[in-house]
Amino acid sequence: MNTRETVTVALGDRSYDIVVGDGVLAQAGALIAPVLRQPKTIIVTDENVAMRHLEMLQRSLENAGIAHDCIVLPPGDQTKNFNQLQSLIDALLSRGIERSSTIIALGGGMIGDLAGFAAGVTLRGLNYIQIPTTLLAQVDSSVGGKTAINAPQGKNLIGVFHQPRLVLADVGVLDTLPHRELLAGYAEVVKYGLINDLEFFAWLEGHAAALLDGNLEARRIAVVKSCQSKASVVAADERETGMRALLNFGHTFGHALEAEAGYGDTLLHGEGVAIGMAMAFDLSVLKGLCDAEDADRVHRHLSTLGLGFGLEHAQGMIWDPERLIGHMQKDKKVQDGKLTFILTRGIGEAFVSQDVSREELLSVLEETIAA
Ligand code: GLY
């Protein structure tokens, strides 16, 4: 299989392509060359990704006559902080980066967010290219221009909107991902079905196992479909003043669980999102908005794959509903003191709501925790 597909994020003169396929990394130089202002790049990556994929990228850039330097950061989401941002900007400036140079972010969500933010603010804005190497980054964080670092007060609280010039999603590189990370990324794939595409959800019910087992065609279809969905939402609402909020489906619950678990190995982002999406269905059922059958179907799909609430890694956690609500109140999406939720009228029918009472929230949290 060597099929390559391109999805365009339509944002006028800031439009860009997402190229999806197997073997895209090896062709990166040729794909990147047309979007460069000068043949000079700086790759930003982390130690783990560098070990697996850096050489191939460097070779491909050399073959295309593109100069490259490289900055390798420590791995892990704790790298997404002010100190690392400062060292990264320091490193960029001391290597003589120019306005027309391009940053290449090679890695997962952490690298994309940090390098994208550095690109957004260094010399008042540099071009950058995303080469996401995790499923989560390929279907979500590398697309749409959200960049950020974490603050002591919470995740992703400091950042800018800064769109990349190009995204290269090589589904072949997903083979090197640990199964747990792949599965966590899958939560963001299934999210697109749940928010507005029942047909895609049904396709995933039939193909998720193959996708997770390494079937490249299933992976390509899932990444393309997810990117098409994200591209159309971002094109319609780049700055999240409306429908882009739908992409946060399951995230208000998920972020609270992640915050309580300490943003580490206990609960990965996608695992929190999967549990959060199931809770969003339960909340919608409780409010009489959605059929219990739809919620059951979602629970079944997620837990069959190993994305249910009884996650092995989180077994030691004692979840307290009041503490979780406390985390939710620090969410970026709180507006006039009100929590924002994405609720649903059924699979593929999500909508934004601020109409959730504390009692309803407590009831869903208590039920999930007790299950
Ligand atoms: N990850 C949600 C968004 O990009 O809006």
Side-chain angles (χ1 to χ4, degrees):
M1 195 229 35
N2 219 344
T3 327
R4 216 165 70 190
E5 218 164 316
T6 299
V7 178
T8 300
V9 184
L11 288 167
D13 58 2
R14 290 173 302 114
S15 295
Y16 56 94
D17 286 343
I18 309 162
V19 183
V20 185
D22 179 24
V24 167
L25 182 62
Q27 301 156 4
L31 292 165
I32 285 172
V35 305
L36 298 182
R37 280 148 67 182
Q38 60 173 190
K40 196 170 164 189
T41 60
I42 297 196
I43 304 164
V44 179
T45 188
D46 73 33
E47 288 155 11
N48 292 341
V49 176
M51 228 156 40
R52 295 182 193 122
H53 306 301
L54 181 58
E55 206 184 309
M56 182 171 289
L57 174 60
Q58 287 173 323
R59 214 175 320 127
S60 164
L61 293 172
E62 274 150 32
N63 290 341
I66 300 169
H68 56 84
D69 205 334
C70 185
I71 298 169
V72 182
L73 303 171
D77 211 57
Q78 58 282 10
T79 298
K80 246 175 68 172
N81 60 28
F82 249 124
N83 290 342
Q84 287 293 340
L85 176 71
Q86 189 173 359
S87 337
L88 174 56
I89 293 175
D90 245 21
L92 292 170
L93 294 175
S94 54
R95 281 162 205 230
I97 192 138
E98 295 171 12
R99 264 248 166 102
S100 42
S101 311
T102 296
I103 292 177
I104 302 176
L106 172 72
M110 180 279 281
I111 285 294
D113 277 9
L114 181 64
F117 188 16
V121 295
T122 305
L123 304 183
R124 297 210 179 94
L126 297 167
N127 278 348
Y128 76 113
I129 288 165
Q130 293 272 20
I131 307 189
T133 56
T134 63
L135 181 57
L136 185 134
Q138 293 189 352
V139 299
D140 185 31
S141 59
S142 70
V143 175
K146 278 189 181 175
T147 74
I149 56 170
N150 299 330
Q153 291 83 352
K155 247 187 115 168
N156 295 335
L157 293 186
I158 308 159
V160 291
F161 283 96
H162 185 50
Q163 299 292 344
R165 295 288 302 138
L166 178 70
V167 180
L168 302 180
D170 187 336
V171 291
V173 306
L174 302 179
D175 284 342
T176 60
L177 272 192
H179 179 77
R180 185 179 174 203
E181 216 176 309
L182 192 66
L183 191 56
Y186 176 77
E188 298 281 0
V189 174
V190 81
K191 178 184 81 178
Y192 294 107
L194 295 180
I195 58 177
N196 62 13
D197 194 341
L198 172 60
E199 206 181 304
F200 183 43
F201 178 75
W203 183 88
L204 288 170
E205 286 179 310
H207 294 84
L211 184 163
L212 292 165
D213 273 356
N215 182 305
L216 282 174
E217 185 58 5
R219 283 183 182 174
R220 189 184 60 79
I221 293 170
V223 173
V224 167
K225 194 88 192 132
S226 302
C227 288
Q228 281 169 337
S229 185
K230 180 140 190 186
S232 68
V233 171
V234 169
D237 178 24
E238 183 183 6
R239 299 267 165 159
E240 199 172 308
T241 54
M243 75 181 288
R244 183 160 179 172
L246 294 181
L247 299 178
N248 298 323
F249 188 55
H251 284 57
T252 304
F253 287 112
H255 281 162
L257 295 165
E258 268 188 282
E260 186 63 7
Y263 299 114
D265 206 41
T266 308
L267 189 75
L268 302 181
H269 174 69
E271 294 171 342
V273 168
I275 299 166
M277 292 190 297
M279 286 194 200
F281 265 88
D282 291 344
L283 180 55
S284 305
V285 172
L286 180 83
K287 288 181 73 63
L289 295 162
C290 164
D291 277 350
E293 255 174 54
D294 275 21
D296 288 345
R297 189 170 160 191
V298 172
H299 276 276
R300 228 176 8 255
H301 180 61
L302 294 174
S303 53
T304 306
L305 298 174
L307 281 169
F309 189 61
L311 285 168
E312 193 191 322
H313 300 272
Q315 290 299 323
M317 287 293 301
I318 298 169
W319 303 103
D320 172 30
E322 293 289 352
R323 284 181 58 89
L324 292 173
I325 293 177
H327 290 301
M328 289 179 195
Q329 272 148 356
K330 290 185 211 133
D331 201 277
K332 283 198 288 317
K333 297 178 292 299
V334 171
Q335 213 182 356
D336 300 327
K338 282 196 158 184
L339 293 174
T340 304
F341 285 89
I342 314 303
L343 300 178
T344 185
R345 297 193 177 84
I347 295 170
E349 294 178 60
F351 65 96
V352 183
S353 169
Q354 291 194 320
D355 177 26
V356 175
S357 72
R358 189 179 172 78
E359 291 65 41
E360 289 168 332
L361 201 50
L362 269 176
S363 159
V364 167
L365 288 168
E366 278 164 1
E367 213 173 284
T368 307
I369 291 165

